[in-house]
Every structure is written in C-alpha cells, then in structure tokens.
C-alpha cells in the first residue's frame, strides 16, 4: 500500500476513534445530554468501542490509529521507518478532525452547559493529582501494556492435525477494544489514560481553536506528558519484545 493510501485510512480511522471517544465524554459531561452523569464506566466502554470502530475503519493501513503503536511496530521491525512520519501525520490530523466533529455534534449542549470553563476534559486528558514525573509513569505503564499486548497477541492458526487454535485475532478488533476498556478500569484513574499521543494532542489543539463559549485554557504545560509517556511506553514494549523468546 502506498503512503497516500496509508495516510487516508489512518486519518479516517483516527477521526472515527476520536469522534466516538470525545463523543462519549461529551455525552456524560454536558448537562443537556441524555448520557449526563453516566460515569467513568460508560466513558471506558465508549472509548473501548471507539477503538474497535476506528481500527476497523483503518484496517487497510494496518489499523495503528496511535503513534505509540506505530513507533512500537517500527522498533519491532514490523513497519518501515520511512512510513512512520506518514502514520504520525495522518493520526494527528484525524484526531483533530474527529474532535471538531464531536464538538459540532454537541454544539447546542456546549452552548447551554453550566460550567463551560471545565469542558477541556471532553477533548484531552488531565491528571487527578498533578505531578509530571508520576503522571508520566502512569502513561508509560498503560501504553506499555497496550503495545506489548499488540505485539504478543497470537493470531488464529491451525494445529498439525488441522484443529483450529484461535488466538486473540479470532475476536478481530474487538479484542483490543476489551483491552482498552480493561486499561481504563484498572490503570486510567490517575491521568485519564491517553495511551495515544494523537488522541490527546489533536483534540487539545481543536479545543484551543474551537469557538466554545466560556472555555478554559488548553493546559499546554501538561500537554507533553500524554505525548511523551505513550511514546516511551510503546518503545519500551517493543524493546522488550525484541529480546523475548517468541
């Protein structure tokens, strides 16, 4: 597949990911939405199946939809380094577009929300207890688990006698959706588990430029953590994968 096709499919898949992911947070957060008050579990399920939908759409390009995954695959020699910038650019653009579409969907609810200054969390993550070092650790650990699972996840194959031996691929992209839900429930509490630089940075840029009434700042001082942390986590997972006897 050429770089142009990779760019299109990755951008489209990441846009679907963020549209649905930011959409579920908006649904839970904004007071005039039917999902208002739905809670953390609804958000985790929403993001998990946003990954399922986004990855399914981006299947022709390999369904990375995450720069940490792309970096991990490159370090593990599963994707060429010359294609890494193409994936990164497509993922960031797609995330920005998805965030804008989520805002457009909930435009009236943004306009009538009682606390518009605290709507940034619909678009991007923030720590519950600010501490850059430990917040970074949270993002590294969560993304490490995600990328290592992707690299080690077995595929469906047949035994010598022809008996099917189904690995995680038997579930298709639903398997990684369940993993993302699990990560949110177990490791997402400290920082909101970005585990994806594009998913956080693209919507953060969108939040900064969108005409949201009474909005607060984009919190650029924290923005590097959900970018650097996932990239470190993905790289560490790939380096471990290279030395494992698999």
């Amino acid at each position: 597949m050429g770089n142009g096709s990779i760019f299109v499919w990755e951008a489209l898949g990441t846009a679907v990911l963020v549209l649905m992911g930011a959409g579920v947070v908006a649904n839970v957060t904004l007071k005039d939405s039917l999902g208002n008050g739905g809670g953390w579990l609804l958000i985790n399920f929403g993001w998990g199946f946003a990954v399922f939908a986004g990855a399914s759409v981006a299947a022709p390009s390999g369904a990375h939809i995450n720069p940490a995954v792309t970096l991990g695959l490159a370090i593990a020699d599963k994707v060429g380094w010359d294609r890494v910038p193409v994936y990164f650019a497509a993922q960031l653009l797609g995330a920005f577009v998805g965030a804008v579409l989520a805002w457009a969907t909930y435009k009236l609810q943004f306009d009538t929300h009682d606390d518009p200054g605290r709507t940034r969390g619909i678009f991007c993550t923030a720590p519950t207890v600010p501490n850059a070092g430990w917040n970074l650790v949270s993002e590294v650990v969560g993304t490490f688990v995600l990328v290592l699972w992707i690299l080690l996840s077995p595929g469906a194959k047949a035994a010598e006698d022809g008996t099917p031996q189904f690995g995680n691929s038997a579930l298709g992209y639903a398997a990684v959706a369940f993993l993302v839900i699990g990560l949110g429930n177990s490791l997402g509490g400290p920082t909101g588990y970005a585990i994806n630089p594009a998913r956080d940075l693209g919507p953060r840029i969108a939040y900064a430029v969108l005409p949201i009434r009474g909005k607060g700042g984009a919190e650029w001082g924290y923005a590097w953590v959900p970018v650097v942390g996932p990239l470190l986590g993905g790289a560490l997972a790939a380096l471990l994968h290279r030395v494992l006897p698999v």
Side-chain angles (χ1 to χ4, degrees):
M1 176 175 288
N3 286 341
S5 295
I6 288 174
F7 186 94
V8 169
W9 287 114
E10 278 293 304
L12 187 58
T14 311
V16 170
L17 163 72
V18 173
L19 169 59
M20 294 181 63
V24 72
V25 184
N27 193 18
V28 168
T29 302
L30 300 173
K31 74 175 184 68
D32 288 329
S33 175
L34 293 175
N36 179 246
W40 180 241
L41 189 58
L42 177 58
I43 288 173
N44 287 341
F45 270 90
W47 270 108
F49 288 105
V51 170
F52 168 77
S56 298
V57 169
S61 61
H64 298 189
I65 61 172
N66 183 341
V69 172
T70 299
L71 179 62
L73 292 173
I75 292 173
D77 289 332
K78 295 181 182 298
V79 66
W81 283 100
D82 59 316
R83 292 193 161 176
V84 170
V86 179
Y87 278 101
F88 279 13
Q91 291 154 359
L92 185 60
L93 176 62
F96 177 88
V97 171
V100 172
L101 292 175
W103 165 78
T105 303
Y106 284 92
K107 168 66 165 60
L108 297 180
Q109 286 69 33
F110 274 101
D111 290 346
T112 58
H113 190 57
D114 290 338
D115 193 5
R118 299 180 64 182
T119 52
R120 184 184 67 246
I122 292 171
F123 295 87
C124 51
T125 62
T128 56
V129 180
N131 181 305
W134 286 110
N135 301 154
L136 188 71
V137 168
S138 295
E139 288 293 334
V140 169
V141 171
T143 315
F144 176 87
V145 173
L146 171 67
V147 176
L148 186 64
W149 181 90
I150 289 171
L151 291 170
L152 293 177
S153 180
K157 59 183 179 181
E160 290 184 3
D161 64 357
T163 303
Q165 296 178 329
F166 293 106
N168 288 322
S169 67
L171 291 172
Y173 293 119
V176 74
F178 291 133
L179 175 63
V180 170
I181 293 168
L183 286 172
N185 289 335
S186 60
L187 302 176
T191 60
Y193 81 127
I195 60 173
N196 182 336
R199 164 265 177 277
D200 194 275
L201 183 57
R204 195 179 297 268
I205 296 170
Y207 181 72
V209 301
L210 284 169
I212 299 172
R213 178 187 62 84
K215 68 179 179 182
E219 197 62 39
W220 292 112
Y222 177 76
W224 66 274
V225 172
V227 172
V228 174
L231 290 174
L232 282 174
L236 290 172
L239 290 172
L240 175 61
H241 179 266
R242 289 181 68 99
V243 300
L244 288 174
V246 293

